[in-house]
Amino acid sequence: MRTLVTGGAGFVGSHLCETFLGLGHEVICVDNLITGGLGNVEHLRSNPQFSFIRHDISHHIDIDGPIDNILHFASPASPVDYLRHPIPTLKVGSLGTHNTLGLAKAKNSSYLLASTSEVYGDPERHPQSEDYWGNVNPIGIRGVYDEAKRFSEAMVMAYHRCHNINTHIIRIFNTYGNRMRLDDGRVLPNFMGQALRGEPLTVYGDGSQTRSFCHVDDLVEGITKLLFKDYHEPVNLGNPSEVTILEFAKEILDLSGSKSKIIFHPLPQDDPKVRKPDISRAKNLLGWEPKIQRTEGLTKTLKHFQEKIGGK
Ligand code: NAD
Ligand code: UDP
């Protein structure tokens, strides 16, 4: 099998490249390195089954030979990143999705889109199941990401319906693990970096907003299961164990043994107040549910960040 991963030099994408190489696939990683880094795939580069193409997928791409699977993961994903790159984010969700679907049509590839829990916006239904259409502010600052992903989903379904492409859509809920950038601005690298450096942990708002954190190994297992299923509607992949951001900060302080304080900063505009996946569909369809408890996943991830900070 020959599998192309866009955004393959990013956090999740690099784990996918590794996993598909492990399954015996040839892997082509396409990335423009806007938020990713070659360091994430350095360990794969000596593998003859692995190739890296530096390319902005919002522009047309030609690839020689057959492609069995296309996994479209290219997109800034951290709020800080997509607020810094609003137009590239809109382009990769729209033009990038169009280009990769065109490639899938030309090569008759299976296709999987990395969508997001952000399609539910600031949800009025809790937990969120796939039949909920969401509550998104299209012109708010997060609209560049949320609407790009909603457009991507619409485009994927149109290619499935009009061209009979074997498409898949996953809606990923906050996922964490090794190879997140310490400075990507997401809550987990922020808190861990701050705890390890002895700086105050910056809780936005009063910290009563909730998130549900999934370890990347669980996510990747769900992705590999869905890719080989004949199912085309969106599937939530995430860990339903929900925590307030304030509790989360305290958990990280406990696990790291840090003496850092917690300080409060203003809540960013349109920050979702709650988020928790209903994973019934993934359970029934794939027999999948996350196995890694938060304490175990956070302990492993803390160790990676410790090594990064220590190695600097
Ligand atoms: P990331 O920023 O680490 O990875 C994204 C990768 O895409 C980077 O390597 C970046 O350089 C690349 N990229 C961006 N625009 C590109 C373009 N135009 N052409 C080529 N490459 C481009 O983020 P991540 O957390 O690994 O997210 C990966 C995907 O998963 C994204 O599509 C994101 O929306 C989705 N997702 C992630 C999460 C999460 O919690 N990690 C949650 C929901 C959705
Ligand atoms: N957050 C926080 N402190 C930080 C970074 C983020 O309190 O230093 C909050 C943020 O306001 C949000 C939650 O943590 O409520 C998760 O933020 P993240 O940027 O990780 O991603 P989101 O889930 O909002 O896409």
Side-chain angles (χ1 to χ4, degrees):
M1 285 235 176
R2 210 159 171 243
T3 297
L4 184 144
V5 183
T6 75
F11 157 51
V12 178
S14 62
H15 287 274
L16 288 172
C17 291
E18 202 172 83
T19 297
F20 283 97
L21 284 170
L23 292 173
H25 294 212
E26 182 184 336
V27 172
I28 307 164
C29 167
V30 177
D31 203 298
N32 67 351
L33 305 179
I34 187 173
T35 58
L38 277 182
N40 289 336
V41 289
E42 201 50 53
H43 60 301
L44 307 177
R45 295 194 79 178
S46 58
N47 187 330
Q49 294 286 93
F50 178 79
S51 56
F52 174 77
I53 302 174
R54 184 164 185 171
H55 179 78
D56 180 344
I57 200 64
S58 300
H59 297 280
H60 178 87
I61 189 165
D62 283 315
I63 305 272
D64 288 335
I67 305 176
D68 300 289
N69 311 295
I70 297 177
L71 297 110
H72 183 35
F73 277 68
S75 171
S78 145
V80 169
D81 284 343
Y82 59 73
L83 297 183
R84 191 179 292 143
H85 304 291
I87 295 170
T89 301
L90 281 159
K91 282 174 140 182
V92 75
S94 53
L95 305 175
T97 304
H98 188 216
N99 287 331
T100 48
L101 283 165
L103 191 62
K105 180 169 165 249
K107 306 281 184 183
N108 196 24
S109 327
S110 290
Y111 187 94
L112 186 140
L113 171 73
S115 185
T116 168
S117 53
E118 280 282 323
V119 299
Y120 303 122
D122 188 8
E124 291 159 320
R125 203 200 281 178
H126 196 65
Q128 294 77 53
S129 53
E130 293 86 345
D131 59 358
Y132 176 51
W133 293 348
N135 177 37
V136 169
N137 174 3
I139 58 162
I141 51 172
R142 296 173 84 108
V144 297
Y145 181 68
D146 303 7
E147 294 297 0
K149 291 289 185 180
R150 289 168 68 94
F151 177 88
S152 304
E153 290 196 9
M155 180 79 100
V156 167
M157 289 311 293
Y159 266 68
H160 170 64
R161 293 187 182 116
C162 298
H163 298 304
N164 203 25
I165 311 282
N166 179 23
T167 60
H168 308 84
I169 298 173
I170 53 165
R171 292 184 179 154
I172 306 173
F173 285 66
N174 297 65
T175 296
Y176 68 94
N178 186 17
R179 303 201 200 109
M180 288 183 104
R181 270 181 17 245
L182 254 169
D183 64 350
D184 86 1
R186 287 184 266 201
V187 65
L188 183 140
N190 270 10
F191 285 178
M192 287 198 173
Q194 291 160 344
L196 291 170
R197 289 190 287 252
E199 296 164 3
L201 271 61
T202 51
V203 168
Y204 300 162
D206 62 5
S208 62
Q209 71 273 31
T210 68
R211 294 295 186 272
S212 307
F213 295 93
C214 182
H215 190 269
V216 66
D217 291 352
D218 282 329
L219 175 74
V220 166
E221 194 201 337
I223 292 170
T224 50
K225 286 191 163 179
L226 181 64
L227 182 63
F228 301 109
K229 279 267 180 223
D230 186 21
Y231 188 83
H232 312 289
E233 304 262 314
V235 178
N236 285 342
L237 291 180
N239 190 322
S241 168
E242 186 183 14
V243 63
T244 69
I245 292 301
L246 185 57
E247 282 169 49
F248 191 58
K250 290 178 184 162
E251 283 181 9
I252 290 177
L253 286 180
D254 279 352
L255 286 173
S256 61
S258 167
K259 299 273 177 292
S260 289
K261 293 187 173 47
I262 291 177
I263 56 170
F264 294 88
H265 283 191
L267 191 67
Q269 188 191 326
D270 293 337
D271 198 287
K273 286 181 263 317
V274 288
R275 185 182 288 156
K276 168 181 168 152
D278 177 334
I279 59 163
S280 315
R281 185 173 284 181
K283 271 189 186 168
N284 295 333
L285 181 74
L286 311 173
W288 174 89
E289 63 183 314
K291 297 190 194 90
I292 302 173
Q293 304 295 319
R294 201 163 55 245
T295 309
E296 183 194 347
L298 292 183
T299 307
K300 275 196 206 175
T301 309
L302 197 60
K303 205 163 156 258
H304 290 300
F305 283 132
Q306 239 154 1
E307 284 163 9
K308 262 194 200 176
I309 287 179
K312 265 189 187 168

